[in-house]
Amino acid sequence: MASLTIQPSARLSSDEDRDIRVEDYLNDKLQTYADLENLDSLLETVKQQQNLLREQLRDAEVTLDEASEALKAHSINLLQQAETFKKKQADIDRRLLVVTQSETSDDAVRKFNGSMEKLRRLDVAKGYVDLLKEVDRLSVEARQHFRASPQAALQPYLSLQNLANALKQAQPAAEDAAPHLVDHVERAASTLWKQMKDAFALDFENTLAKMKWPGKDVNLAGQLEHEWAEGVERLLELQEPELNARERQDDRNTPGVDSLVLLPLEVMVKPLELRFRFHFYGDRPTNRLDKPEYFLSHAIDLLNTYDEFFAVYLQPILRRHFKGSNLALNPTYIDSTSAFITSLLPMLRSKIDDLLPRIFRQPQLLSHLMHELMSFDQSLKDDWGYDGGCGPDGWKGLTWEVLVKKD
């Protein structure tokens, strides 16, 4: 016969558990007869703890009621917002149907998005037109002033050049959008730059003629020095955006990249280059294939002759003009001697390019040219401190350009 097991009720189990905990508590607090004397204090402590628990329970009930009320209010608010949203959505759908003359909401949204795309394109087109108007305005303003007031023409030109540079720099981020617009702005800036350069250079050449440059007795008496300094400043300001753009390329330490020739020196070197071509081109006795040292030593003579002039008159202008800019870190722009050497190098390169094809198959002449070029390069580095604006790596030299760069 199977035995019957009777499980105690949950209430009975709870009462027994409570009795056990009470018994354990009393056994812990009343271990000796002396502890009976503290029975009243023990009871008082228990009552205080019981009262504290009741207060905490009441606080919890109040907090629960407040949270319940807040949740209820929040739920009601969400329902109201959802209802308002539904009404607004229905109103928008109704208006879309009316505006787009559609029968369904999906068709209305499609037509509305098409209209918005057309508006976006119209806005972009308006921006293009406004930009073209601004380019035209700056060009016209600069052309109106650069004859009568060259200084007044510089500001609109600089604004146009900055605009062209900004558009070019923004091209990668814009995924090369609107290339024709960028090309148009660049061409407008380039055309204006050439016109202003020609005008400023012509004025500067007139000043140089009054000074009797590059004669032995250069005259800077009276207002001529001031007029010459103004011409230098004007050409430097015109060229500054180009110089800054070259510096931003961060290629000064890249072999084979030449510093730009400063515009005032480009103009001042022209008569020196004419004299150079007279002596070292054609049938002149100084133009000998076996004597490259003739034209190289002539360049050193030019340095010895005119370096003092540039140190006295040009150096203060360069220091003042480039002070505080990144261009002041490039010796070929801030140092008058280095700037003068940089302006002479193009005519030497042109002469070397003319000479090389005629001696290329004559090892003795080619070897002699290389030897003279190495001596010339070393003289510029050691005697004149020229580094070509190449930083710590230094200037590679004309020899390097012939042997490596031209390959």
Side-chain angles (χ1 to χ4, degrees):
M1 182 175 180
S3 61
L4 180 62
T5 303
I6 301 176
Q7 296 291 339
S9 65
R11 176 64 181 273
L12 181 59
S13 176
S14 176
D15 291 343
E16 289 177 352
D17 183 60
R18 183 188 61 192
D19 292 342
I20 292 173
R21 286 189 286 108
V22 170
E23 182 180 355
D24 291 340
Y25 179 80
L26 293 175
N27 289 335
D28 180 61
K29 298 296 183 181
L30 303 174
Q31 296 182 1
T32 63
Y33 286 106
D35 292 336
L36 293 174
E37 296 177 359
N38 299 326
L39 186 59
D40 292 339
S41 175
L42 181 62
L43 291 173
E44 184 64 27
T45 300
V46 171
K47 288 180 180 179
Q48 291 177 357
Q49 292 177 346
Q50 188 178 25
N51 291 334
L52 179 61
L53 289 174
R54 286 196 184 99
E55 290 179 3
Q56 292 177 343
L57 179 61
R58 284 195 297 270
D59 291 343
E61 289 175 347
V62 171
T63 302
L64 177 62
D65 291 340
E66 291 176 350
S68 299
E69 289 296 327
L71 177 62
K72 183 179 179 181
H74 183 64
S75 299
I76 293 173
N77 185 44
L78 283 179
L79 289 173
Q80 290 175 347
Q81 289 181 0
E83 191 65 28
T84 302
F85 176 78
K86 288 180 180 179
K87 291 179 180 179
K88 289 182 178 180
Q89 183 64 44
D91 185 56
I92 291 173
D93 290 342
R94 181 183 60 79
R95 292 184 181 185
L96 277 176
L97 292 174
V98 173
V99 170
T100 59
Q101 298 180 354
S102 304
E103 296 181 357
T104 63
S105 298
D106 291 341
D107 187 36
V109 170
R110 181 180 58 78
K111 290 184 178 180
F112 183 75
N113 287 336
S115 299
M116 292 302 295
E117 178 63 20
K118 291 180 181 178
L119 286 175
R120 188 192 69 81
R121 292 180 180 178
L122 181 62
D123 186 61
V124 171
K126 182 179 180 299
Y128 284 176
V129 172
D130 290 342
L131 183 59
L132 291 174
K133 287 182 178 179
E134 180 66 9
V135 169
D136 185 63
R137 183 189 68 79
L138 292 172
S139 299
V140 171
E141 183 179 349
R143 290 190 181 95
Q144 287 175 344
H145 290 293
F146 73 70
R147 286 293 181 187
S149 178
Q151 198 65 32
L154 279 172
Q155 190 54 51
Y157 163 73
L158 293 176
S159 298
L160 180 59
Q161 186 61 61
N162 290 334
L163 179 61
N165 292 337
L167 285 174
K168 190 172 183 179
Q169 292 172 16
Q171 277 293 84
E175 299 180 350
D176 294 328
H180 299 298
L181 177 66
V182 176
D183 181 63
H184 173 76
V185 177
E186 285 186 336
R187 281 190 288 105
S190 178
T191 301
L192 180 59
W193 182 85
K194 187 177 185 307
Q195 292 174 345
M196 294 182 66
K197 175 192 172 185
D198 292 343
F200 291 177
L202 181 60
D203 292 341
F204 194 54
E205 287 174 356
N206 293 333
T207 302
L208 293 176
K210 297 176 187 176
M211 293 168 45
K212 299 181 180 179
W213 174 268
K216 293 182 179 180
D217 300 321
V218 176
N219 177 25
L220 283 175
Q223 291 295 319
L224 277 179
E225 182 177 352
H226 177 71
E227 185 178 335
W228 176 83
E230 276 191 344
V232 172
E233 288 276 8
R234 193 178 302 138
L235 286 168
L236 289 177
E237 288 183 21
L238 179 66
Q239 191 182 19
E240 192 158 354
E242 183 184 14
L243 298 177
N244 285 319
R246 172 64 66 91
E247 288 298 298
R248 280 195 296 269
Q249 293 176 3
D250 197 25
D251 56 8
R252 282 178 54 197
N253 293 329
T254 302
V257 175
D258 305 321
S259 293
L260 295 173
V261 177
L262 296 180
L263 286 182
L265 285 166
E266 180 181 313
V267 176
M268 297 187 74
V269 165
K270 280 184 179 180
L272 301 178
E273 184 177 0
L274 290 175
R275 185 185 301 173
F276 181 88
R277 297 185 70 86
F278 174 80
H279 287 294
F280 303 109
Y281 286 84
D283 298 330
R284 307 296 298 181
T286 48
N287 181 30
R288 293 176 53 177
L289 297 180
D290 61 337
K291 295 292 184 180
E293 58 267 32
Y294 283 1
F295 71 84
L296 294 174
S297 62
H298 179 77
I300 297 297
D301 290 342
L302 292 176
L303 285 173
N304 288 319
T305 302
Y306 297 105
D307 180 61
E308 183 179 358
F309 172 86
F310 289 118
V312 172
Y313 295 103
L314 181 63
Q315 183 61 60
I317 297 176
L318 296 180
R319 187 182 298 113
R320 181 174 64 251
H321 185 83
F322 293 121
K323 182 180 180 181
S325 70
N326 291 334
L327 299 175
L329 303 177
N330 190 332
T332 57
Y333 301 145
I334 195 68
D335 176 63
S336 62
T337 300
S338 295
F340 184 38
I341 293 174
T342 302
S343 68
L344 294 176
L345 290 179
M347 72 179 185
L348 296 178
R349 293 187 181 104
S350 178
K351 175 59 183 176
I352 293 170
D353 289 343
D354 175 71
L355 187 60
L356 280 175
R358 293 190 284 167
I359 65 171
F360 184 73
R361 298 187 182 278
Q362 303 182 51
Q364 187 175 356
L365 294 180
L366 183 60
S367 175
H368 181 59
L369 174 64
M370 293 300 103
H371 174 75
E372 293 299 329
L373 285 178
M374 286 189 288
S375 298
F376 178 78
D377 291 343
Q378 205 61 43
S379 176
L380 290 186
K381 294 176 184 178
D382 296 342
D383 300 337
W384 298 93
Y386 187 69
D387 72 352
C390 298
D393 293 338
W395 181 53
K396 298 296 183 180
L398 294 176
T399 310
W400 177 87
E401 293 181 14
V402 171
L403 295 177
V404 179
K405 186 177 178 181
K406 292 186 183 302
D407 290 342

